[in-house]
Amino acid sequence: MDTSKLIGGRFKVKDRPVSGAMGDVWPAVDTKLGRTVALKFLARRRLRQQGAATEFTDWTVKRFGREGVAMARVSHTHVAQIYDTGEHEGELYIVMEYVQGRSLAAYLQEGPTLTLERTVRWTREICEGLYAAHSSEVLHHDIKPDNIMITNEGKVKIVDFGLASFADVTQSHTGVGTALYKAPERWAGSPGSVRSDLYSVGCVLYEMLTGRVPFGSPQDDPLTVGRMHQDNSPAPPSAHRPGVPQQLDLIARILLAKDPGERPRNAEAVAVVMSDIQHSLGAEDVAIAMGRPHALDTADSNAGNSERIQELDRRIFELELRLGPHGQEVIEARTEHAELTGQSGDARGAAALYNRLGRDCQEFFGPYDSRVLNAFEGVARWIARSGAG
C-alpha cells in the first residue's frame, strides 16, 4: 500500500502497521482534526489468498459501509470509538479511536494468572461496553483477549466491533484465535446473538482466572476445539486455581452454558454481578481472619481496597512513563499494589505480583539488593497465607 498519499484525503500514515490475520492496523494523523487515529484495513487480497469462503461483491462492500454506520452509533468509555469507513487502493478500512495501551492477550502472556481484582474489574468493564453495543444492535462476534485493549490508565477498550461481524461474511471463520472463544451454537451454524458474545466473555473470564482457555489450546485443530465447545464441560476455575471465590465459579459456569437460553439475558446483568463481586472481593476471608464472620463493614472496606487498587494501577502507569520502571516510587507503588491485592483476599495474586516485582528488581539492582529480598519475602508470606505451602 502506498502510504505516501493521504488516505481518504485526510489521514497521514505514520510508523509501521501491526499485522493480523484479517488485515493491518496503521497509526495515522487526522490532518483535518489534528488527532491520532487507527486505520484498520480489511485485507481483501490476503483473505482471497488464504482461501476466503465468500468472495467480495458490491453487496459486501455496501454491508461494510452499513456496519460502519451502526458502529459509529456506539459511544461508550469501554468501546473504541469508530469514526469513519472508506476504501483505499482496493482495500476497505475503518477509522477508529487510537488506544494507547496493551491488549489483554499481552497481559495474559506475561503470566502468572491475573489478580482477582483486575479480573473482576476488567470483566465488568468488558460487559459494560458490550451492553452499550448490544443496545445499539451491534454484536461483536469475536470477543477474545486480542480484541480487548487495556489503556495506560488500566481501563478496558473493546476493539473490532463490526469488523469481526463482517469477517463472518467473507471467510469460514474457523481460525484458531476465534475457535478458542466461539460459542457452541455458532459452531452449529447459528449467526449468533447477544448471548453468543456472552459465551465468549465466559471463555475470556475463565482464561483470566486460570491462565488457560476452557477448551483446547492454540495448537489444536479448530474443528476439534469446536467439538469440545459443543460437547465438553470445563472444570470450575477453582479446580485450576484454589482460592477463586464460589461466585466466580458460578458465573463462569452460567456464561459457558451450552444452551444460550441458560446464559444471562444481557451483558448488563453480568456487569452488575461483577460489580457486586468486586465490592465484596475477599470479604469473607477478611472477616473470618478478624474473628467477625458476619462483619457488616467488610464489604465497604473491600470496596475501598478495590478503588485504591484501581488508583494504584493508574499511578504505576504514570510513574513508569515519567521515571522508568526502576524508579523508587514505582517500586513502592508496586509493593503497595501487591499488599492491597492480598488484603482484598487474593493471596495468590499478591504472591504473583511480588514474584514479578522481585524478578524485575533482580534485573534492575542485582540479586542481593534489599528490594529484591523484600519482594521475595512478600512472595513467601502470601503463599503461606494462601495455604499453597
Side-chain angles (χ1 to χ4, degrees):
M1 182 178 73
D2 183 0
T3 59
S4 64
K5 302 176 182 177
L6 287 181
I7 295 173
R10 64 187 289 185
F11 302 108
K12 182 177 178 58
V13 168
K14 62 178 185 177
D15 299 329
R16 295 182 178 181
V18 176
S19 296
M22 291 299 300
D24 304 322
V25 181
W26 297 76
V29 175
D30 183 340
T31 59
K32 184 176 181 180
L33 297 179
R35 64 183 175 187
T36 300
V37 298
L39 301 181
K40 181 135 194 174
F41 280 81
L42 189 63
R44 287 193 279 188
R45 296 186 185 93
R46 187 183 309 171
L47 289 174
R48 290 193 188 110
Q49 291 170 357
Q50 294 173 352
T54 305
E55 293 184 358
F56 279 81
T57 63
D58 289 342
W59 178 83
T60 58
V61 172
K62 289 178 181 178
R63 170 174 172 157
F64 189 84
R66 291 197 300 270
E67 289 283 354
V69 171
M71 289 181 289
R73 294 201 307 265
V74 182
S75 179
H76 192 273
T77 186
H78 298 310
V79 176
Q81 182 70 47
I82 302 299
Y83 302 132
D84 201 359
T85 64
E87 185 172 354
H88 179 76
E89 296 182 352
E91 300 290 4
L92 302 174
Y93 66 86
I94 287 178
V95 186
M96 60 190 295
E97 175 184 355
Y98 180 72
V99 180
Q100 290 187 311
R102 294 188 296 160
S103 70
L104 177 58
Y107 278 89
L108 292 171
Q109 288 166 5
E110 283 182 349
T113 49
L114 294 176
T115 65
L116 292 178
E117 194 281 331
R118 275 184 174 176
T119 295
V120 171
R121 171 163 43 101
W122 289 347
T123 302
R124 172 180 59 78
E125 293 179 354
I126 291 167
C127 289
E128 288 172 351
L130 270 181
Y131 182 66
H134 292 165
S135 297
S136 296
E137 300 183 349
V138 178
L139 301 179
H140 193 286
H141 293 300
D142 200 17
I143 289 291
K144 59 184 178 182
D146 285 309
N147 287 338
I148 298 165
M149 294 294 294
I150 308 299
T151 70
N152 287 345
E153 292 75 34
K155 298 290 187 180
V156 160
K157 288 277 188 182
I158 308 174
V159 300
D160 279 5
F161 268 102
L163 188 62
S165 172
F166 188 63
D168 268 349
V169 180
T170 64
Q171 61 171 342
S172 61
H173 219 341
T174 56
V176 172
T178 295
L180 296 174
Y181 307 93
K182 189 173 177 179
E185 63 272 16
R186 296 196 60 219
W187 287 102
S190 167
S193 66
V194 164
R195 290 175 172 178
S196 303
D197 275 353
L198 290 179
Y199 181 92
S200 300
V201 171
C203 292
V204 173
L205 170 62
Y206 195 97
E207 186 173 5
M208 286 195 285
L209 287 171
T210 67
R212 65 181 75 188
V213 290
F215 302 109
S217 73
Q219 291 74 41
D220 289 332
D221 174 72
L223 295 179
T224 300
V225 176
R227 286 193 292 272
M228 292 179 183
H229 280 292
Q230 292 174 294
D231 301 332
N232 296 1
S233 296
S238 60
H240 299 294
R241 181 181 177 180
V244 170
Q246 183 179 3
Q247 306 102 300
L248 290 176
D249 272 347
L250 178 61
I251 192 63
R253 179 172 63 80
I254 294 172
L255 286 169
L256 293 173
K258 304 300 181 190
D259 181 354
E262 295 179 1
R263 297 175 206 149
R265 66 186 182 280
N266 56 42
E268 183 184 41
V270 182
V272 169
V273 170
M274 300 310 291
S275 180
D276 289 343
I277 294 174
Q278 184 179 350
H279 288 164
S280 63
L281 188 61
E284 182 178 351
D285 293 338
V286 174
I288 291 174
M290 295 175 66
R292 296 184 286 116
H294 303 293
L296 295 177
D297 61 343
T298 308
D300 289 338
S301 172
N302 280 275
N305 277 344
S306 181
E307 291 172 2
R308 290 169 65 193
I309 289 172
Q310 291 182 59
E311 179 56 36
L312 277 169
D313 262 345
R314 291 190 291 270
R315 179 169 168 75
I316 290 167
F317 277 124
E318 293 168 359
L319 288 172
E320 286 181 336
L321 288 173
R322 183 160 55 88
L323 304 175
H326 47 71
Q328 183 58 30
E329 288 184 63
V330 176
I331 304 302
E332 291 172 357
R334 290 179 64 182
T335 300
E336 185 179 358
H337 187 274
E339 279 299 305
L340 281 175
T341 297
Q343 291 169 20
S344 75
D346 186 9
R348 288 172 177 262
L353 290 174
Y354 265 123
N355 185 59
R356 189 175 303 155
L357 176 60
R359 293 181 182 277
D360 287 345
C361 286
Q362 277 184 323
E363 180 180 344
F364 299 150
F365 313 118
Y368 304 113
D369 188 271
S370 61
R371 288 162 288 196
V372 175
L373 301 179
N374 290 339
F376 286 131
E377 182 277 331
V379 175
R381 177 161 45 84
W382 283 108
I383 285 180
R385 293 193 190 187
S386 74

